[in-house]
């Protein structure tokens, strides 16, 4: 795997998700960052052989999809927790 693609997959995508969870910027901003890094990965492999390029692009797409799923899951859990708390608060009032 291309070293730049490996760095994006193994370090950059996870750090973006961690930062999102910690600081909670707009979801769109994190999605845009993930997409930008995926495009950088595509650019890094554009001159490789078709087989190598395909392998790297599939790895990027898989990691991107997993990161997007983590983002979605985080917000789904957060909404379910806040919904539970809201329901509890209403019952005690």
């Amino acid at each position: 795997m291309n070293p730049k693609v490996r760095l994006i997959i193994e370090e950059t995508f996870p750090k973006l998700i961690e930062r999102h969870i910690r600081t909670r910027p707009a979801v769109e901003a994190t999605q845009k960052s993930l997409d930008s890094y995926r495009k950088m990965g595509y650019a890094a492999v554009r001159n490789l052989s078709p087989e190598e390029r395909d392998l790297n692009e599939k790895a990027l797409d898989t990691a991107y999809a997993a990161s997007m799923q983590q983002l979605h899951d985080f917000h789904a859990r957060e909404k379910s927790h806040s919904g539970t708390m809201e329901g509890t608060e209403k019952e005690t009032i």
Side-chain angles (χ1 to χ4, degrees), residues 47-66:
N47 294 324
L48 296 178
S49 69
E51 298 83 22
E52 284 292 314
R53 186 175 58 240
D54 188 48
L55 176 72
N56 282 275
E57 288 177 353
K58 284 182 180 178
L60 276 166
D61 290 341
T62 300
Y64 174 83

Side-chain angles (χ1 to χ4, degrees), residues 5-22 30 34 63-64 66-67 70:
V5 170
R6 183 178 307 279
L7 181 69
I8 291 168
I9 291 171
E10 294 178 357
E11 293 185 27
T12 306
F13 283 174
K15 285 181 182 177
L16 287 170
I17 298 302
E18 289 172 19
R19 184 182 65 193
H20 179 86
I21 291 169
R22 193 175 56 253
T30 301
L34 289 167
Y64 174 83
S67 296
Q70 286 180 307

Side-chain angles (χ1 to χ4, degrees), residues 70-85:
Q70 286 180 307
L71 192 62
H72 173 75
D73 291 347
F74 168 72
H75 284 285
R77 282 191 310 270
E78 196 170 65
K79 285 181 183 178
S80 70
H81 288 304
S82 68
T84 303
M85 291 176 65

